[in-house]
Amino acid sequence: DAINLFVDENGKPIPIIFRLWHECNDDWQWWGTGSGMGSQTEYKDFFKLTVNTVKKYAPKAEILWAYCPNRPFGNDFIYLANYPGDEYVDFMGYDDYDLGEKWQDCVLRGKLGTKGAKAHNKIAGIFETSNNNTPTIPTFYSYYCRKVFCDKAISIPFLQAWPSNWDYSPDCHEPLLAFMREPYVFGAMN
């Protein structure tokens, strides 16, 4: 019933991105295939069951379904290992808290994410990112995020900054605001 509440003042459904069962390739969530609680096939079946159930009970909802593994993938096979199928996904992306470390790895993941989304005719995105590498705080957005967004082989029109405690420090707050003012960035703070 909660999804049916996402309507404007005229009762028209408000579009939402539902990042369903995110970070599915790791072990810290019970649904993660790395947790030993279920297989990749069971994850895919559970994803499909959830989408079908929501569609059944909220048929007028405007939902864009997102597939979102965590960042430790180095090839297409790993990135798509839990992919439930095109008819269940609108957005393809990943979470990446390592953008502030090795920019070459970040660009590689951006290229793989772009390639996967294009192959499935989907929109690519980075659904969670923040800087977990303290020495790069002042340049996280202006250097590392820019590397991903400005690489010509990457097409990721969506990034959600998921601020960590240090993102609210003066050292990071101003660079984040400056990044949000870049001409290729449109968005709001979470």
Side-chain angles (χ1 to χ4, degrees):
D1 284 344
I3 291 177
N4 288 314
L5 300 176
F6 288 99
V7 295
D8 66 16
E9 62 276 357
N10 298 316
K12 184 178 176 186
I14 297 170
I16 59 171
I17 298 171
F18 197 151
R19 187 172 52 120
L20 189 58
W21 312 120
H22 73 295
E23 299 180 0
C24 55
N25 55 328
D26 276 312
D27 61 359
W28 52 77
Q29 319 274 12
W30 61 265
W31 59 81
T33 55
S35 69
M37 298 290 285
S39 68
Q40 291 171 342
T41 299
E42 289 170 317
Y43 172 83
K44 293 173 191 179
D45 289 345
F46 186 52
F47 192 108
K48 293 173 187 177
L49 174 70
T50 305
V51 169
N52 290 333
T53 301
V54 171
K55 286 180 176 181
K56 177 180 176 182
Y57 291 102
K60 295 180 183 177
E62 296 282 337
I63 299 173
L64 295 170
W65 301 96
Y67 169 71
C68 182
N70 198 24
R71 57 104 187 102
F73 55 87
N75 61 50
D76 297 340
F77 176 76
I78 295 170
Y79 177 63
L80 296 170
N82 296 306
Y83 188 67
D86 290 346
E87 62 273 22
Y88 295 94
V89 174
D90 300 297
F91 258 104
M92 292 176 70
Y94 56 96
D95 293 352
D96 196 335
Y97 284 91
D98 288 343
L99 286 179
E101 291 183 21
K102 299 176 183 172
W103 69 265
Q104 297 93 338
D105 293 343
C106 303
V107 169
L108 171 65
R109 288 190 294 272
K111 289 177 180 177
L112 288 170
T114 297
K115 181 180 173 186
K118 283 184 178 180
H120 292 272
N121 200 29
K122 306 297 176 189
I123 301 166
I126 299 175
F127 294 104
E128 283 184 36
T129 192
S130 186
N131 190 7
N132 284 347
N133 188 6
T134 306
T136 64
I137 286 174
T139 59
F140 176 69
Y141 294 101
S142 63
Y143 182 76
Y144 292 94
C145 287
R146 179 177 281 165
K147 286 282 190 190
V148 173
F149 277 92
C150 292
D151 188 292
K152 298 209 183 308
I154 298 174
S155 178
I156 295 182
F158 179 88
L159 174 137
Q160 177 173 304
W162 197 269
S164 301
N165 291 336
W166 49 82
D167 283 332
Y168 295 108
S169 72
D171 287 342
C172 192
H173 188 70
E174 286 305 317
L176 172 58
L177 292 177
F179 177 73
M180 296 297 289
R181 290 189 290 268
E182 290 282 352
Y184 55 88
V185 174
F186 173 81
M189 290 293 294
N190 133 358

